[in-house]
Amino acid sequence: MGRNPAFSGPRYQDIAASLLRDIARGRYPVGRLLPTEVELCERFAASRHTVRDALRIVTEKGLLVRRRGTGSVVIATAPPNVFTHSVGSEEEWMRYPTGTFRETVNTAEIAADRKLAALLKCEPGKRWFRICSVRRSSRIPEPLGWTEIYVLPAYAGVVKRSDHGTTPVHRQVEKMFGESIDRAQLEIFASHIPAKLARPLRVAAGTPALTVVRRYTGLKSGMFEVTVTIHPENRYTYSMELRPQLHAKQL
Amino acid sequence: MGRNPAFSGPRYQDIAASLLRDIARGRYPVGRLLPTEVELCERFAASRHTVRDALRIVTEKGLLVRRRGTGSVVIATAPPNVFTHSVGSEEEWMRYPTGTFRETVNTAEIAADRKLAALLKCEPGKRWFRICSVRRSSRIPEPLGWTEIYVLPAYAGVVKRSDHGTTPVHRQVEKMFGESIDRAQLEIFASHIPAKLARPLRVAAGTPALTVVRRYTGLKSGMFEVTVTIHPENRYTYSMELRPQLHAKQL
DNA sequence: CTTCAGCATTTGTTCGGACATAGTTTAAGC
DNA sequence: GCTTAAACTATGTCCGAACAAATGCTGAAG
């Protein structure tokens, strides 16, 4: 029991691995209490500080809940998340290579008809401020896609800002109105180029396209922005990388 | 300098907040070294342990890199990760609602021609074991899409397993051959239905489609599986939700 | 001038101790 | 018997100290 002779790293990592193994093997089932810190100190012949470091690792993996006076409760037998995807910046999430920009075509306040309401997942008749624009790259003459941005009418002021066109709209809303994003949702599906967009996108109507819908939900005003982008074939690829959760070996 | 009288929480959180503020305000620009632990102990009149707890918080937020002998280097002025996406299971990542299954049409060992090599991001001539199949749902008669799975010829044994068709192939490879996934990459772009697939997918050739490419890279044998799926319009939507990283207030 | 050994610096690991705080249990008092 | 206060338990916070390990610098040897 206790020390693993094959393991040469820090003691607290050894102890954490041992606890992880015990939990995975069912020695401490979900709902059961782990031994107290002092008991673990005795079992592993380590100081309380070292044991706490080990418990911190197990807790960060999401297998424990620890409370004063109560103890450490096992809440899972294995780390729950298999893959994670972290996005560093809005640009990265938008997946638009740097050097692209939006070119506003027109703006208007509109009411959602039934079709638009379905796309935006809002009730029909809801009023939105719509910004229609073309996304371009400095490298190629054809536009990358057609973007329709719908924001709550109260937030229409964003178009007046000077950095409009280069900064993501939801960031502008965050700064100007103190909204904070609670969650963002992404949907991607196949579509075809509508007749209206054939000319601005320089592509034949009815040809294959990729539609990307992004919905931003804030804490203050709920869903405050929806972006719909239509990309003609061969002009845009959504790409993403997932990694198994490393679970914090020290870097 | 030092203690913030308005803050009543633990000392290490107070110190962490102070450091965070200093970094955000540019007192320690990116690339600069933070004061050493001992210096911070003096400035905040705290023990090294407490200061280290504070530095751990700042490090976990991704603003610092710490190395023995060197010190703590500032690598960002604000937490870099804005959104995270965690995927709990393969099914969730695949985004196929439960109740769908794969129906194998044919299998063969092939060599990648130039076009396929570009899609798979491998060298032309590389040999792959290809599994062609149709993904169906029990609810609707039309297939959801056409899937071509390419695995290394050494792993061709996966098709013989009984749970083939319901279990993701990369999971089977993990179990059967002890491969462990290092990273997974996803690409989504617009395409059109090839003439060959018009009949099996029950849709007209040339109509819009969504192509999803998934690449799995393992620790042992590098990229060991690539899956290419073609979905006709209106039969499949890729959906994902991102949330702002909570940054570990204590739970 | 280059190379390498040795030293100083800085963070990493581990020990031992003390008190604070939050939950739980027990016991006293009505 | 119920309510409330005290005691107990377990984790949280904080201190002081020592040594280990990685890095960078300096000076001596070739």
mmCIF file of all heavy atoms in Angstrom, chain C residues 9-23:
data_model
loop_
_atom_site.group_PDB
_atom_site.id
_atom_site.type_symbol
_atom_site.label_atom_id
_atom_site.label_comp_id
_atom_site.label_asym_id
_atom_site.label_seq_id
_atom_site.Cartn_x
_atom_site.Cartn_y
_atom_site.Cartn_z
ATOM 1 P P DT C 9 22.640 35.496 -5.633
ATOM 2 O OP1 DT C 9 22.661 36.973 -5.706
ATOM 3 O OP2 DT C 9 22.589 34.782 -4.323
ATOM 4 O "O5'" DT C 9 21.446 34.971 -6.545
ATOM 5 C "C5'" DT C 9 21.486 35.209 -7.956
ATOM 6 C "C4'" DT C 9 20.270 34.621 -8.631
ATOM 7 O "O4'" DT C 9 20.437 33.183 -8.764
ATOM 8 C "C3'" DT C 9 18.949 34.820 -7.874
ATOM 9 O "O3'" DT C 9 17.993 35.280 -8.799
ATOM 10 C "C2'" DT C 9 18.609 33.424 -7.368
ATOM 11 C "C1'" DT C 9 19.228 32.544 -8.441
ATOM 12 N N1 DT C 9 19.562 31.160 -8.039
ATOM 13 C C2 DT C 9 19.166 30.118 -8.844
ATOM 14 O O2 DT C 9 18.550 30.284 -9.878
ATOM 15 N N3 DT C 9 19.542 28.869 -8.399
ATOM 16 C C4 DT C 9 20.245 28.572 -7.255
ATOM 17 O O4 DT C 9 20.514 27.426 -6.957
ATOM 18 C C5 DT C 9 20.614 29.706 -6.458
ATOM 19 C C7 DT C 9 21.390 29.501 -5.183
ATOM 20 C C6 DT C 9 20.259 30.941 -6.879
ATOM 21 P P DT C 10 16.619 35.977 -8.300
ATOM 22 O OP1 DT C 10 16.335 37.074 -9.240
ATOM 23 O OP2 DT C 10 16.724 36.222 -6.845
ATOM 24 O "O5'" DT C 10 15.548 34.823 -8.520
ATOM 25 C "C5'" DT C 10 15.324 34.312 -9.830
ATOM 26 C "C4'" DT C 10 14.521 33.033 -9.761
ATOM 27 O "O4'" DT C 10 15.358 31.965 -9.299
ATOM 28 C "C3'" DT C 10 13.340 33.084 -8.782
ATOM 29 O "O3'" DT C 10 12.134 33.026 -9.504
ATOM 30 C "C2'" DT C 10 13.523 31.868 -7.876
ATOM 31 C "C1'" DT C 10 14.550 31.031 -8.631
ATOM 32 N N1 DT C 10 15.424 30.217 -7.746
ATOM 33 C C2 DT C 10 15.619 28.898 -8.049
ATOM 34 O O2 DT C 10 15.112 28.349 -9.011
ATOM 35 N N3 DT C 10 16.435 28.221 -7.168
ATOM 36 C C4 DT C 10 17.054 28.730 -6.049
ATOM 37 O O4 DT C 10 17.764 28.031 -5.337
ATOM 38 C C5 DT C 10 16.806 30.125 -5.794
ATOM 39 C C7 DT C 10 17.426 30.781 -4.598
ATOM 40 C C6 DT C 10 16.009 30.793 -6.647
ATOM 41 P P DT C 11 10.704 32.981 -8.718
ATOM 42 O OP1 DT C 11 9.783 33.829 -9.480
ATOM 43 O OP2 DT C 11 10.931 33.218 -7.282
ATOM 44 O "O5'" DT C 11 10.278 31.457 -8.908
ATOM 45 C "C5'" DT C 11 10.196 30.914 -10.224
ATOM 46 C "C4'" DT C 11 10.211 29.390 -10.173
ATOM 47 O "O4'" DT C 11 11.342 28.950 -9.389
ATOM 48 C "C3'" DT C 11 8.980 28.756 -9.530
ATOM 49 O "O3'" DT C 11 8.572 27.661 -10.333
ATOM 50 C "C2'" DT C 11 9.480 28.300 -8.172
ATOM 51 C "C1'" DT C 11 10.923 27.953 -8.494
ATOM 52 N N1 DT C 11 11.830 27.973 -7.323
ATOM 53 C C2 DT C 11 12.564 26.853 -7.029
ATOM 54 O O2 DT C 11 12.516 25.836 -7.679
ATOM 55 N N3 DT C 11 13.372 26.972 -5.913
ATOM 56 C C4 DT C 11 13.518 28.071 -5.097
ATOM 57 O O4 DT C 11 14.275 28.062 -4.134
ATOM 58 C C5 DT C 11 12.717 29.213 -5.463
ATOM 59 C C7 DT C 11 12.789 30.470 -4.651
ATOM 60 C C6 DT C 11 11.923 29.111 -6.543
ATOM 61 P P DG C 12 7.290 26.765 -9.876
ATOM 62 O OP1 DG C 12 6.629 26.319 -11.108
ATOM 63 O OP2 DG C 12 6.523 27.480 -8.840
ATOM 64 O "O5'" DG C 12 7.982 25.498 -9.208
ATOM 65 C "C5'" DG C 12 8.575 24.509 -10.052
ATOM 66 C "C4'" DG C 12 8.875 23.243 -9.268
ATOM 67 O "O4'" DG C 12 9.873 23.533 -8.252
ATOM 68 C "C3'" DG C 12 7.673 22.655 -8.529
ATOM 69 O "O3'" DG C 12 7.668 21.239 -8.684
ATOM 70 C "C2'" DG C 12 7.902 23.059 -7.086
ATOM 71 C "C1'" DG C 12 9.421 23.084 -6.995
ATOM 72 N N9 DG C 12 9.937 24.024 -6.006
ATOM 73 C C8 DG C 12 9.712 25.374 -5.940
ATOM 74 N N7 DG C 12 10.315 25.946 -4.934
ATOM 75 C C5 DG C 12 10.978 24.913 -4.291
ATOM 76 C C6 DG C 12 11.800 24.924 -3.131
ATOM 77 O O6 DG C 12 12.104 25.882 -2.419
ATOM 78 N N1 DG C 12 12.265 23.640 -2.828
ATOM 79 C C2 DG C 12 11.982 22.511 -3.546
ATOM 80 N N2 DG C 12 12.517 21.379 -3.106
ATOM 81 N N3 DG C 12 11.223 22.487 -4.635
ATOM 82 C C4 DG C 12 10.757 23.717 -4.946
ATOM 83 P P DT C 13 6.459 20.354 -8.110
ATOM 84 O OP1 DT C 13 6.324 19.164 -8.968
ATOM 85 O OP2 DT C 13 5.306 21.235 -7.851
ATOM 86 O "O5'" DT C 13 7.046 19.868 -6.709
ATOM 87 C "C5'" DT C 13 8.178 19.014 -6.712
ATOM 88 C "C4'" DT C 13 8.574 18.684 -5.294
ATOM 89 O "O4'" DT C 13 9.038 19.868 -4.628
ATOM 90 C "C3'" DT C 13 7.446 18.118 -4.416
ATOM 91 O "O3'" DT C 13 7.854 16.847 -3.947
ATOM 92 C "C2'" DT C 13 7.283 19.133 -3.290
ATOM 93 C "C1'" DT C 13 8.656 19.804 -3.272
ATOM 94 N N1 DT C 13 8.694 21.187 -2.749
ATOM 95 C C2 DT C 13 9.506 21.463 -1.671
ATOM 96 O O2 DT C 13 10.195 20.619 -1.129
ATOM 97 N N3 DT C 13 9.492 22.772 -1.269
ATOM 98 C C4 DT C 13 8.755 23.814 -1.804
ATOM 99 O O4 DT C 13 8.825 24.945 -1.340
ATOM 100 C C5 DT C 13 7.930 23.465 -2.921
ATOM 101 C C7 DT C 13 7.096 24.511 -3.589
ATOM 102 C C6 DT C 13 7.935 22.173 -3.344
ATOM 103 P P DT C 14 6.774 15.890 -3.246
ATOM 104 O OP1 DT C 14 7.225 14.504 -3.491
ATOM 105 O OP2 DT C 14 5.415 16.320 -3.594
ATOM 106 O "O5'" DT C 14 6.995 16.198 -1.704
ATOM 107 C "C5'" DT C 14 8.249 15.909 -1.116
ATOM 108 C "C4'" DT C 14 8.328 16.537 0.248
ATOM 109 O "O4'" DT C 14 8.395 17.971 0.126
ATOM 110 C "C3'" DT C 14 7.106 16.303 1.149
ATOM 111 O "O3'" DT C 14 7.381 15.221 2.021
ATOM 112 C "C2'" DT C 14 6.922 17.620 1.898
ATOM 113 C "C1'" DT C 14 8.068 18.475 1.396
ATOM 114 N N1 DT C 14 7.733 19.912 1.265
ATOM 115 C C2 DT C 14 8.383 20.810 2.075
ATOM 116 O O2 DT C 14 9.221 20.486 2.880
ATOM 117 N N3 DT C 14 7.998 22.123 1.900
ATOM 118 C C4 DT C 14 7.041 22.605 1.012
ATOM 119 O O4 DT C 14 6.784 23.799 0.953
ATOM 120 C C5 DT C 14 6.403 21.602 0.206
ATOM 121 C C7 DT C 14 5.346 22.006 -0.784
ATOM 122 C C6 DT C 14 6.771 20.323 0.361
ATOM 123 P P DC C 15 6.266 14.733 3.082
ATOM 124 O OP1 DC C 15 6.553 13.319 3.362
ATOM 125 O OP2 DC C 15 4.913 15.144 2.649
ATOM 126 O "O5'" DC C 15 6.648 15.575 4.373
ATOM 127 C "C5'" DC C 15 7.948 15.401 4.955
ATOM 128 C "C4'" DC C 15 8.251 16.523 5.911
ATOM 129 O "O4'" DC C 15 8.159 17.778 5.204
ATOM 130 C "C3'" DC C 15 7.265 16.676 7.063
ATOM 131 O "O3'" DC C 15 7.704 15.933 8.186
ATOM 132 C "C2'" DC C 15 7.280 18.167 7.361
ATOM 133 C "C1'" DC C 15 7.977 18.798 6.168
ATOM 134 N N1 DC C 15 7.187 19.884 5.538
ATOM 135 C C2 DC C 15 7.368 21.201 5.975
ATOM 136 O O2 DC C 15 8.185 21.410 6.883
ATOM 137 N N3 DC C 15 6.647 22.196 5.414
ATOM 138 C C4 DC C 15 5.784 21.924 4.446
ATOM 139 N N4 DC C 15 5.099 22.929 3.907
ATOM 140 C C5 DC C 15 5.574 20.589 3.959
ATOM 141 C C6 DC C 15 6.288 19.608 4.543
ATOM 142 P P DG C 16 6.629 15.487 9.299
ATOM 143 O OP1 DG C 16 7.253 14.370 10.026
ATOM 144 O OP2 DG C 16 5.313 15.338 8.652
ATOM 145 O "O5'" DG C 16 6.506 16.741 10.257
ATOM 146 C "C5'" DG C 16 7.652 17.483 10.686
ATOM 147 C "C4'" DG C 16 7.185 18.737 11.385
ATOM 148 O "O4'" DG C 16 6.903 19.756 10.380
ATOM 149 C "C3'" DG C 16 5.893 18.539 12.181
ATOM 150 O "O3'" DG C 16 6.080 18.897 13.537
ATOM 151 C "C2'" DG C 16 4.873 19.444 11.497
ATOM 152 C "C1'" DG C 16 5.749 20.457 10.765
ATOM 153 N N9 DG C 16 5.065 20.970 9.575
ATOM 154 C C8 DG C 16 4.517 20.237 8.547
ATOM 155 N N7 DG C 16 3.946 20.967 7.633
ATOM 156 C C5 DG C 16 4.122 22.277 8.087
ATOM 157 C C6 DG C 16 3.709 23.499 7.526
ATOM 158 O O6 DG C 16 3.077 23.689 6.485
ATOM 159 N N1 DG C 16 4.092 24.591 8.322
ATOM 160 C C2 DG C 16 4.783 24.490 9.500
ATOM 161 N N2 DG C 16 5.063 25.630 10.118
ATOM 162 N N3 DG C 16 5.183 23.348 10.038
ATOM 163 C C4 DG C 16 4.818 22.288 9.285
ATOM 164 P P DG C 17 4.861 18.675 14.587
ATOM 165 O OP1 DG C 17 5.499 18.397 15.871
ATOM 166 O OP2 DG C 17 3.868 17.755 14.024
ATOM 167 O "O5'" DG C 17 4.198 20.138 14.656
ATOM 168 C "C5'" DG C 17 5.017 21.262 14.908
ATOM 169 C "C4'" DG C 17 4.238 22.546 14.628
ATOM 170 O "O4'" DG C 17 3.909 22.607 13.239
ATOM 171 C "C3'" DG C 17 2.919 22.666 15.384
ATOM 172 O "O3'" DG C 17 3.044 23.650 16.400
ATOM 173 C "C2'" DG C 17 1.903 23.103 14.320
ATOM 174 C "C1'" DG C 17 2.770 23.431 13.118
ATOM 175 N N9 DG C 17 2.107 23.166 11.844
ATOM 176 C C8 DG C 17 1.883 21.941 11.260
ATOM 177 N N7 DG C 17 1.269 22.027 10.112
ATOM 178 C C5 DG C 17 1.062 23.381 9.927
ATOM 179 C C6 DG C 17 0.429 24.085 8.868
ATOM 180 O O6 DG C 17 -0.094 23.628 7.858
ATOM 181 N N1 DG C 17 0.443 25.459 9.085
ATOM 182 C C2 DG C 17 0.992 26.074 10.179
ATOM 183 N N2 DG C 17 0.908 27.406 10.229
ATOM 184 N N3 DG C 17 1.592 25.440 11.171
ATOM 185 C C4 DG C 17 1.584 24.101 10.981
ATOM 186 P P DA C 18 1.886 23.717 17.562
ATOM 187 O OP1 DA C 18 2.557 24.224 18.773
ATOM 188 O OP2 DA C 18 1.130 22.452 17.595
ATOM 189 O "O5'" DA C 18 0.896 24.844 17.026
ATOM 190 C "C5'" DA C 18 1.418 26.145 16.751
ATOM 191 C "C4'" DA C 18 0.358 26.942 16.007
ATOM 192 O "O4'" DA C 18 0.174 26.359 14.704
ATOM 193 C "C3'" DA C 18 -1.016 26.924 16.673
ATOM 194 O "O3'" DA C 18 -1.251 28.195 17.278
ATOM 195 C "C2'" DA C 18 -1.988 26.650 15.533
ATOM 196 C "C1'" DA C 18 -1.129 26.674 14.282
ATOM 197 N N9 DA C 18 -1.527 25.699 13.263
ATOM 198 C C8 DA C 18 -1.430 24.342 13.335
ATOM 199 N N7 DA C 18 -1.848 23.721 12.260
ATOM 200 C C5 DA C 18 -2.265 24.749 11.431
ATOM 201 C C6 DA C 18 -2.812 24.756 10.130
ATOM 202 N N6 DA C 18 -3.060 23.654 9.427
ATOM 203 N N1 DA C 18 -3.103 25.954 9.581
ATOM 204 C C2 DA C 18 -2.859 27.065 10.300
ATOM 205 N N3 DA C 18 -2.340 27.177 11.517
ATOM 206 C C4 DA C 18 -2.062 25.970 12.026
ATOM 207 P P DC C 19 -2.503 28.361 18.288
ATOM 208 O OP1 DC C 19 -2.113 29.429 19.228
ATOM 209 O OP2 DC C 19 -2.934 27.042 18.773
ATOM 210 O "O5'" DC C 19 -3.650 28.944 17.342
ATOM 211 C "C5'" DC C 19 -3.381 30.112 16.576
ATOM 212 C "C4'" DC C 19 -4.374 30.199 15.430
ATOM 213 O "O4'" DC C 19 -4.236 29.050 14.567
ATOM 214 C "C3'" DC C 19 -5.852 30.234 15.848
ATOM 215 O "O3'" DC C 19 -6.431 31.417 15.315
ATOM 216 C "C2'" DC C 19 -6.447 28.975 15.233
ATOM 217 C "C1'" DC C 19 -5.511 28.752 14.042
ATOM 218 N N1 DC C 19 -5.518 27.362 13.509
ATOM 219 C C2 DC C 19 -5.882 27.153 12.171
ATOM 220 O O2 DC C 19 -6.182 28.127 11.476
ATOM 221 N N3 DC C 19 -5.890 25.882 11.686
ATOM 222 C C4 DC C 19 -5.561 24.865 12.463
ATOM 223 N N4 DC C 19 -5.580 23.638 11.928
ATOM 224 C C5 DC C 19 -5.178 25.062 13.820
ATOM 225 C C6 DC C 19 -5.175 26.308 14.293
ATOM 226 P P DA C 20 -7.996 31.722 15.564
ATOM 227 O OP1 DA C 20 -8.094 33.168 15.833
ATOM 228 O OP2 DA C 20 -8.559 30.734 16.530
ATOM 229 O "O5'" DA C 20 -8.630 31.437 14.135
ATOM 230 C "C5'" DA C 20 -7.987 31.956 12.975
ATOM 231 C "C4'" DA C 20 -8.897 31.790 11.760
ATOM 232 O "O4'" DA C 20 -8.777 30.442 11.241
ATOM 233 C "C3'" DA C 20 -10.383 32.010 12.025
ATOM 234 O "O3'" DA C 20 -10.951 32.592 10.861
ATOM 235 C "C2'" DA C 20 -10.901 30.598 12.271
ATOM 236 C "C1'" DA C 20 -10.020 29.766 11.333
ATOM 237 N N9 DA C 20 -9.710 28.407 11.800
ATOM 238 C C8 DA C 20 -9.175 28.063 12.998
ATOM 239 N N7 DA C 20 -8.980 26.766 13.137
ATOM 240 C C5 DA C 20 -9.425 26.238 11.933
ATOM 241 C C6 DA C 20 -9.483 24.919 11.448
ATOM 242 N N6 DA C 20 -9.073 23.844 12.135
ATOM 243 N N1 DA C 20 -9.982 24.724 10.209
ATOM 244 C C2 DA C 20 -10.385 25.796 9.515
ATOM 245 N N3 DA C 20 -10.376 27.080 9.873
ATOM 246 C C4 DA C 20 -9.872 27.226 11.104
ATOM 247 P P DT C 21 -12.505 33.021 10.873
ATOM 248 O OP1 DT C 21 -12.602 34.194 9.974
ATOM 249 O OP2 DT C 21 -12.971 33.086 12.272
ATOM 250 O "O5'" DT C 21 -13.209 31.796 10.157
ATOM 251 C "C5'" DT C 21 -12.752 31.384 8.880
ATOM 252 C "C4'" DT C 21 -13.599 30.234 8.377
ATOM 253 O "O4'" DT C 21 -13.162 28.991 8.967
ATOM 254 C "C3'" DT C 21 -15.089 30.353 8.704
ATOM 255 O "O3'" DT C 21 -15.815 29.968 7.548
ATOM 256 C "C2'" DT C 21 -15.287 29.364 9.838
ATOM 257 C "C1'" DT C 21 -14.284 28.284 9.457
ATOM 258 N N1 DT C 21 -13.797 27.409 10.549
ATOM 259 C C2 DT C 21 -13.614 26.074 10.287
ATOM 260 O O2 DT C 21 -13.825 25.591 9.207
ATOM 261 N N3 DT C 21 -13.147 25.343 11.354
ATOM 262 C C4 DT C 21 -12.872 25.798 12.630
ATOM 263 O O4 DT C 21 -12.466 25.053 13.506
ATOM 264 C C5 DT C 21 -13.098 27.211 12.830
ATOM 265 C C7 DT C 21 -12.835 27.810 14.172
ATOM 266 C C6 DT C 21 -13.546 27.942 11.793
ATOM 267 P P DA C 22 -17.369 30.406 7.421
ATOM 268 O OP1 DA C 22 -17.463 31.266 6.221
ATOM 269 O OP2 DA C 22 -17.867 30.877 8.728
ATOM 270 O "O5'" DA C 22 -18.051 29.014 7.086
ATOM 271 C "C5'" DA C 22 -17.461 28.192 6.096
ATOM 272 C "C4'" DA C 22 -17.851 26.750 6.301
ATOM 273 O "O4'" DA C 22 -17.151 26.208 7.451
ATOM 274 C "C3'" DA C 22 -19.347 26.530 6.570
ATOM 275 O "O3'" DA C 22 -19.759 25.428 5.775
ATOM 276 C "C2'" DA C 22 -19.404 26.207 8.054
ATOM 277 C "C1'" DA C 22 -18.070 25.502 8.255
ATOM 278 N N9 DA C 22 -17.535 25.533 9.614
ATOM 279 C C8 DA C 22 -17.432 26.599 10.459
ATOM 280 N N7 DA C 22 -16.883 26.321 11.622
ATOM 281 C C5 DA C 22 -16.608 24.969 11.540
ATOM 282 C C6 DA C 22 -16.027 24.053 12.439
ATOM 283 N N6 DA C 22 -15.599 24.396 13.671
ATOM 284 N N1 DA C 22 -15.891 22.769 12.042
ATOM 285 C C2 DA C 22 -16.316 22.432 10.819
ATOM 286 N N3 DA C 22 -16.880 23.201 9.877
ATOM 287 C C4 DA C 22 -16.998 24.462 10.304
ATOM 288 P P DG C 23 -21.312 25.276 5.362
ATOM 289 O OP1 DG C 23 -21.390 25.468 3.936
ATOM 290 O OP2 DG C 23 -22.156 26.057 6.312
ATOM 291 O "O5'" DG C 23 -21.572 23.740 5.684
ATOM 292 C "C5'" DG C 23 -21.069 23.285 6.870
ATOM 293 C "C4'" DG C 23 -20.988 21.777 6.919
ATOM 294 O "O4'" DG C 23 -20.100 21.494 8.007
ATOM 295 C "C3'" DG C 23 -22.315 21.120 7.278
ATOM 296 O "O3'" DG C 23 -22.299 19.757 6.880
ATOM 297 C "C2'" DG C 23 -22.349 21.271 8.783
ATOM 298 C "C1'" DG C 23 -20.861 21.185 9.163
ATOM 299 N N9 DG C 23 -20.486 22.143 10.211
ATOM 300 C C8 DG C 23 -20.725 23.488 10.260
ATOM 301 N N7 DG C 23 -20.272 24.048 11.367
ATOM 302 C C5 DG C 23 -19.691 22.997 12.070
ATOM 303 C C6 DG C 23 -19.038 22.983 13.326
ATOM 304 O O6 DG C 23 -18.835 23.915 14.094
ATOM 305 N N1 DG C 23 -18.616 21.698 13.660
ATOM 306 C C2 DG C 23 -18.784 20.581 12.872
ATOM 307 N N2 DG C 23 -18.311 19.446 13.354
ATOM 308 N N3 DG C 23 -19.387 20.580 11.703
ATOM 309 C C4 DG C 23 -19.814 21.817 11.367
#
